[in-house]
Amino acid sequence: MTRAAERPVAVRYARAFRWTVIGVVAVWHLGYDVVIIARSVGGYDPVAAVFAAWVLLAAVQTAGAVLLLRSELDAARARALAAVALAAGELAGAAYPPGAAISDVSWAANTVGWTGVLLLVRRPLGELGVFMAVDVGCTAAHMAADGTLGQVGATRLITVAYTTAGIQLIFAWLGRRLHEAARQATESAGRWSAGLARSAAEEAVHAERRRRYEYLQARVEPLLRGLAEARLRPDDDAVRRRTAIEAARLRRLFAETDDTPHPLLHELRACADVAERRAVAVTLLSYGDVPPLPTPVRRALAEAPLLVLAGAASWARLAVVAGPDEVVVSVVADADVEVPVRADGPLSVVLDREEGRLWVETRWNPPGSP
Amino acid sequence: MGGDAVESARIAVGVIDDHPVVIEGVRTWLARDPGIEVGHVADTVEDVPCGLDVLILDLNLHGRLVLDELARLAAAGQRVITFSQFTEREMVLAALDAGACEFVAKNEGSAHLLAAVRTVAADRPYVTPTAAGVLASDRRPDAAPLSERERTALLLWFQSMSKASVARRMGVSVHTVEMYVKRARVKYARAGRPAPTKADMLARAFEDGLIRPDEIVGYRSAASTD
C-alpha cells in the first residue's frame, strides 16, 4: 500500500525534474551555443564540422528528451546516445582553432555535459561521473595536443571543470536527493496510516472477542456449570434442547467472523452442521443473490432457523430466496419448538404447523424498500 | 403425442440414469402406480424408442451434462422430466429452457416424481418446490412476467411443506394456489428454444382455461410461420 501511496508525489517530482533538465539543455543549445557559433563562425576549421556537431547534439537531445518523457530511455539507449553526444563534442572540439579548447569560441563541452545529465538521469550517478570524466578528458586531451596544458592551462581546466561538470553533477545529485526525500515522506505517511488501520482493526477484533466472551458468560456458562454441578440432568429433554440450541448458537457465532463470500449461507450451514451431527438430515437450498447484510441482520435471520434446526427430530429443509430488496430464510422440519413470532420493522417471523411439521419463515426487507 | 386417448391406457415411462441403484429405486417408486409401466431403461441417451409418454432423464450421465441431447429429444416431441442431484439455478433454468417439462431434484422424493410423471403425461404443468424456488428468484431481463400473487405462491411453495400451508399463508384456497403455480410455470414455457412439448403444454393450458393466449406476452407458437 505504501508503493501505491508514494507514487503520485514521487512521480510528480520526477516529472518536474525531467522537464527542468530538458529546459536547461534546450535553452543552452538553442540560445548560448547558437550565439557563440554565430559570433565565431570564421574561426572554426572546418566550420561544417561545427555545424554537424551542433545538429547531431540537437538530434541526440531531442531523441533523449522524447524517450525520457515516454519512460522508454533504457540503459542501452541512454548509453548509446551518451556515446553519440561525446562523439559530437569531440567533432566540434576538433574544429576549434589551435589553443582554443577553453576559450570564447569553445561551446561543446558544456552542452555535452548537460546532455549527459539529461540522458543519464535515471542511471546510477557513477555513470554520469564517468561521462563527465570523458567529457573533461577530451578537452584535456586537446589542450595536451596543442601544448597548452601547462600550469595556467591546467588551472583553467580545473576551474572550468568545477563550474560546468561540477555544477551539472551537483544538479543531478540534488535531483536524486529531492526524489528520495519525497519517496521517504510518502512512505512514512503510508506507514502511519497503515498503522492506524491496523490498530482500528485490532480494536474491532477485540470488541468482537469481548462480545463473544460476554455471550458465553451469560448463556453457556450457567448451562455448563449446571451440568458440572449435576443441577441439570443430561437426560432431561429440556436440557438437551437447550444444549443443542446453545451449541448451534456458538457454532454460528464462530462462523460469523469467518471471511467468506456468502456469510449468511455460511452461518446457516454452520447451524445445519450442528443439527447433522445429531443425525438430522438437512437440505439447504438457496436461490438468488444475497446482498451484503450487516452482522445484526444476519444474526436475526439465522435465529429462527437455528431454533428449529436445534429442535428437529430427523429432517429439516432450509430454503433461502434472496434479491436486492428482500431476503427470505425459511425452514421446514419435524420439530416442535417455540419460536417467537414478530412483525416489527424490517424483520418479520411467521410460522405454520401441520401434521407434526413446523414451518418458520424469517423475512427481511431493507429499510426504504416497498 | 399425448391427448385423451392415452389417459385410459397405461403411461409408458423411460428411465435413463448412469447409476443402476437410481434406476432400481425409480422403478420401485413407479411400480406403486398401476397406471405406469416402465418401457425403457438405459444409461445413455442413444436409441430412445418412440412412443414413450414420459422420459425420466438424469442430467449428468457418465460425468457429462446432456443438455443438448435433452433439447434434441424435446424438439422431437419427447416429454422429458429431468431428475438430478444438481439444483443450482443455472442448471434448473437450462433444463427448462432446453425443453424439459419438469425438473425434479433427487432429494424431492417419490411423491413429487410420481405426480410429475402423471401430470406431465397429460401435458399439464407440474412444479416441484425446487423449480418453484428457481422460477421465483429468476431476475433475468427476459424472465417471464409473473404477477405478484404468482411469485408469492411460487416462493411459498418452494419454502413450505404443503400447498395447504401455502394456501393458509396466502388466505386463498388450495385450488387457487395450484392455479398460481401452474400459471407461472406455463408462462415460463415460452422461455428458451421453442419445443413441441412446450407448445402442447400451452395448448392444454388454454384448453383448461388456466391462461389466456394474450397473457403469454411475446409467446410465439412453434407452429407459427411468420
Side-chain angles (χ1 to χ4, degrees):
Chain A
M1 93 164 253
T2 49
R3 289 230 68 81
E6 93 191 35
R7 195 169 295 140
V9 180
V11 164
R12 277 209 304 279
Y13 270 97
R15 189 172 297 156
F17 184 71
R18 283 173 202 175
W19 276 107
T20 308
V21 175
I22 291 167
V24 168
V25 168
V27 166
W28 206 272
H29 198 55
L30 293 172
Y32 181 76
D33 292 352
V34 169
V35 170
I36 297 279
I37 292 170
R39 203 179 57 194
S40 330
V41 73
Y44 301 120
D45 180 31
V47 72
V50 172
F51 288 153
W54 188 91
V55 171
L56 196 57
L57 270 172
V60 167
Q61 289 161 359
T62 308
V66 169
L67 290 173
L68 183 64
L69 292 176
R70 285 191 189 165
S71 296
E72 290 171 5
L73 193 61
D74 56 27
R77 285 170 174 168
R79 286 174 187 161
L81 286 172
V84 175
L86 285 170
E90 184 53 28
L91 180 64
Y96 294 162
I102 298 174
S103 68
D104 291 348
V105 303
S106 66
W107 56 272
N110 195 10
T111 301
V112 168
W114 281 115
T115 309
V117 173
L118 186 157
L119 294 173
L120 301 173
V121 66
R122 294 175 64 188
R123 305 296 310 150
L125 207 56
E127 288 192 20
L128 186 62
V130 171
F131 180 90
M132 292 300 178
V134 173
D135 191 24
V136 174
C138 285
T139 307
H142 277 289
M143 290 173 78
D146 295 344
T148 51
L149 196 61
Q151 202 174 2
V152 177
T155 311
R156 287 180 72 186
L157 179 66
I158 290 166
T159 312
V160 167
Y162 260 127
T163 51
T164 58
I167 286 175
Q168 286 155 3
L169 272 169
I170 287 168
F171 183 83
W173 179 79
L174 275 178
R176 260 154 231 266
R177 298 307 317 152
L178 206 61
H179 185 248
E180 183 63 19
R183 199 177 59 77
Q184 276 173 3
T186 46
E187 241 176 40
S188 70
R191 267 199 301 277
W192 186 73
S193 62
L196 209 64
R198 198 165 41 241
S199 79
E202 276 163 6
E203 257 172 53
V205 168
H206 179 68
E208 188 54 38
R209 281 197 190 126
R210 178 173 288 277
R211 190 179 67 75
R212 284 197 256 177
Y213 177 72
E214 280 164 6
Y215 174 82
L216 286 177
Q217 212 174 22
R219 306 292 297 263
V220 181
E221 201 212 319
L223 193 61
L224 291 176
R225 190 177 293 279
L227 287 168
E229 294 171 355
R231 278 186 290 106
L232 299 176
R233 289 159 51 94
D235 56 352
D236 180 349
D237 273 353
V239 172
R240 289 168 85 136
R241 184 162 300 163
R242 208 175 131 198
T243 314
I245 291 172
E246 293 312 326
R249 281 219 177 96
L250 272 181
R251 181 77 172 73
R252 200 206 63 79
L253 200 62
F254 296 147
E256 200 173 270
T257 45
D258 290 351
D259 185 27
T260 68
H262 305 292
L264 177 67
L265 297 180
H266 181 66
E267 288 162 35
L268 289 174
R269 259 184 224 113
C271 299
D273 196 37
V274 177
E276 278 170 341
R277 278 161 198 255
R278 294 192 300 109
V280 175
V282 184
T283 313
L284 171 54
L285 286 167
S286 164
Y287 295 118
D289 300 315
V290 182
L293 300 170
T295 310
V297 171
R298 295 205 312 268
R299 208 174 291 152
L301 277 169
E303 179 64 14
L306 187 149
L307 293 173
V308 176
L309 282 167
S314 64
W315 65 270
R317 185 168 178 275
L318 262 170
V320 179
V321 177
D325 50 358
E326 189 173 64
V327 179
V328 186
V329 179
S330 87
V331 59
V332 182
D334 55 349
D336 182 21
V337 293
E338 291 307 315
V339 179
V341 173
R342 55 188 277 196
D344 53 325
L347 199 86
S348 69
V349 178
V350 294
L351 61 83
D352 190 21
R353 289 177 207 272
E354 187 182 270
E355 296 165 15
R357 289 173 295 179
L358 172 65
W359 168 36
V360 179
E361 180 205 87
T362 309
R363 186 180 289 254
W364 178 77
N365 297 90
S369 70
Chain B
M1 54 168 57
D4 294 324
V6 178
E7 286 185 1
S8 54
R10 299 179 85 191
I11 300 168
V13 176
V15 184
I16 298 181
D17 199 297
D18 55 347
H19 293 105
V21 62
V22 174
I23 290 183
E24 278 311 306
V26 170
R27 287 184 86 125
T28 311
W29 287 354
L30 295 177
R32 289 181 201 160
D33 187 331
I36 294 175
E37 64 178 340
V38 175
H40 175 70
V41 164
D43 67 344
T44 70
V45 273
E46 310 305 319
D47 309 319
V48 174
C50 296
L52 288 176
D53 293 306
V54 179
L55 181 67
I56 297 172
L57 173 67
D58 182 6
L59 264 186
N60 190 332
L61 291 177
H62 304 288
R64 202 174 65 81
L65 283 179
V66 292
L67 284 167
D68 288 342
E69 288 83 346
L70 163 61
R72 181 169 56 74
L73 288 163
Q78 175 64 60
R79 301 186 198 91
V80 181
I81 293 174
T82 52
F83 189 53
S84 175
Q85 78 265 38
F86 299 108
T87 53
E88 290 84 6
R89 170 169 49 176
E90 290 69 24
M91 185 75 82
V92 178
L93 286 173
L96 295 181
D97 286 357
C101 297
E102 189 39 36
F103 186 101
V104 181
K106 281 189 176 168
N107 61 23
E108 280 177 318
S110 61
H112 283 299
L113 188 63
L114 280 173
V117 167
R118 282 194 296 266
T119 319
V120 164
D123 287 321
R124 292 198 165 98
Y126 187 82
V127 182
T128 58
T130 304
V134 171
L135 299 185
S137 65
D138 186 10
R139 311 227 171 200
R140 295 179 300 179
D142 58 344
L146 301 179
S147 76
E148 201 51 46
R149 303 290 279 172
E150 286 161 0
R151 188 180 295 282
T152 306
L154 282 178
L155 179 64
L156 295 179
W157 176 225
F158 166 56
Q159 304 173 13
S160 172
M161 45 199 169
S162 68
K163 293 217 169 101
S165 175
V166 176
R168 279 197 294 278
R169 275 287 310 272
M170 292 182 75
V172 297
S173 70
V174 174
H175 175 78
T176 310
V177 171
E178 292 267 11
M179 208 185 67
Y180 286 140
V181 171
K182 283 179 182 171
R183 280 167 58 93
R185 174 67 184 92
V186 168
K187 285 183 177 179
Y188 259 87
R190 72 179 186 87
R193 40 195 135 180
T197 48
K198 295 182 180 181
D200 287 345
M201 183 167 77
L202 282 170
R204 198 61 190 257
F206 298 150
E207 247 175 67
D208 290 352
L210 190 62
I211 201 159
R212 291 192 314 277
D214 58 290
E215 287 179 279
I216 307 288
V217 183
Y219 168 71
R220 185 164 293 173
S221 160
S224 70
T225 49
D226 60 340

